Amino acid sequence: MDSMGIKDILLYGEDVLRQPAEPVDPSDAQLKELVDRMIQVLQDAKGLGLAANQIGVPKQVIVYDTPEGPQALLNPKIVRREGKEVEIEGCLSIPGLQGEVHRATSITVEGLDLQGNTVRIKAEGLLARVFQHELDHLNGSLFVDHADPDTLQWVTEESSENKEQ
Ligand code: NI
């Protein structure tokens, strides 16, 4: 049993998805367990990214997929946003729903790694979108809050695979 109240992916309607997440202390010994579990959940769901409150833990932790494997970021903040583009987005907490969301094209995000080192990541396109989506989660916001309502549609499991975050 874990002591953090980790759950499986929570769905739209759960209060913790609307709750702003708390910053974490990188020396917290439980963080490694939380991150390991988040990466497992992300991979099982074939998702692009996951925020800790999506598994019931209102802490500022995200994981995201990269070509080099899954990465974690603690207490992330977007410190630069440039450009604007629209793309279809989906969310593991609202499986099967997709819609168009405007996001910055290029961002810089700052946070801590599990060792407590400050990391600064420049991201564009899909990765920039994933960071913006996950940071929204940490603020209690969901993609449907800013999706173009006319574009929202339910899709099959197959076409939502590898698009949800
Ligand atoms: Ni999501």
Side-chain angles (χ1 to χ4, degrees), residues 64-124:
Y64 55 98
D65 195 35
T66 78
E68 293 77 42
Q71 304 287 325
L73 195 60
L74 314 177
N75 303 340
K77 282 189 178 61
I78 294 173
V79 296
R80 179 190 62 95
R81 295 172 193 264
E82 273 174 47
K84 206 175 186 190
E85 64 184 21
V86 66
E87 261 304 334
I88 290 172
E89 226 169 270
C91 180
L92 292 166
S93 293
I94 317 175
L97 189 65
Q98 293 187 351
E100 291 182 359
V101 185
H102 283 87
R103 298 285 190 190
T105 308
S106 169
I107 65 164
T108 300
V109 60
E110 266 185 18
L112 300 173
D113 65 16
L114 272 176
Q115 287 72 45
N117 303 307
T118 298
V119 291
R120 197 178 165 90
I121 303 161
K122 280 187 168 180
E124 294 191 350

Side-chain angles (χ1 to χ4, degrees), residues 54 90-93 133-134 137 142 165:
Q54 288 182 277
C91 180
L92 292 166
S93 293
H133 182 112
E134 302 318 328
H137 272 300
L142 297 167
Q165 40 186 322

Side-chain angles (χ1 to χ4, degrees), residues 1-8 10 16 30 33-34 37 52-59:
M1 282 294 289
D2 69 84
S3 47
M4 280 176 290
I6 295 175
K7 299 183 171 68
D8 291 329
L10 298 176
V16 68
Q30 292 184 322
E33 179 194 343
L34 174 62
R37 184 71 175 273
N53 49 352
Q54 288 182 277
I55 58 166
V57 180
K59 293 186 176 176

